[in-house]
Amino acid sequence: MSDPFGDLDAAMDDSTQADSSPDSEPTAEPVDEPITESDTEDTAAPQEAPAFEFDETVHKALYVLEEVATEFDDIITYDVERDLTRTHGLKNIKKSELHNAALSVVSEHPDLIVERVLEQRGLDDE
């Protein structure tokens, strides 16, 4: 049986040799140009671009009951994202942006977290 990728190594060798040949033209060095204020501003409107880039985020594990996770995902997708899109005209909404907003809201209301933990344990808030 013949190797279906047999010519791939040869093709890759040809491309690397072509890039490093002495006959290739040198690339131009970048020219330092003064940075203007307009260069530093985001060109995308707030309705078009997420509030932050994905690479600014960290991955954290949250341990929740499956039914709560499903309800959260449904609310984020079908209620929050739809409202942001239809009512407010936002585009390019990322899950990381929605999750960040949700956790920010929760962190502003620790008293509600206390109430829910007590409720889950069947205790009254005294």
Side-chain angles (χ1 to χ4, degrees):
M1 181 157 102
S2 66
D3 182 10
F5 303 107
D7 59 343
L8 186 58
D9 288 333
M12 290 185 68
D13 286 341
D14 289 345
S15 68
T16 56
Q17 288 174 356
D19 291 343
S20 62
S21 70
D23 296 334
S24 63
E25 294 184 26
T27 58
E29 291 292 321
V31 177
D32 289 335
E33 294 182 15
I35 297 175
T36 63
E37 188 174 319
S38 63
D39 291 338
T40 59
E41 294 177 15
D42 288 335
T43 57
Q47 292 84 2
E48 303 283 331
F52 51 87
E53 295 297 324
F54 180 77
D55 61 356
E56 296 178 56
T57 64
V58 294
H59 180 246
K60 296 284 187 176
L62 296 174
Y63 298 97
V64 298
L65 296 173
E66 188 170 344
E67 65 187 43
V68 174
T70 300
E71 182 179 5
F72 176 80
D73 288 340
D74 288 349
I75 288 170
I76 287 291
T77 302
Y78 300 119
D79 296 336
V80 175
E81 190 170 357
R82 180 176 39 191
D83 188 29
L84 290 169
T85 303
R86 291 184 179 172
T87 306
H88 301 282
L90 297 188
K91 297 179 181 176
N92 197 19
I93 301 168
K94 303 294 183 191
K95 292 293 183 194
S96 57
E97 187 174 19
L98 298 172
H99 293 166
N100 191 73
L103 289 175
S104 293
V105 169
V106 170
S107 68
E108 293 170 1
H109 300 282
D111 55 315
L112 295 177
I113 299 170
V114 170
E115 287 177 22
R116 183 56 53 101
V117 170
L118 291 172
E119 179 184 300
Q120 289 174 162
R121 290 187 174 208
L123 301 172
D124 290 331
D125 185 18
E126 299 170 1

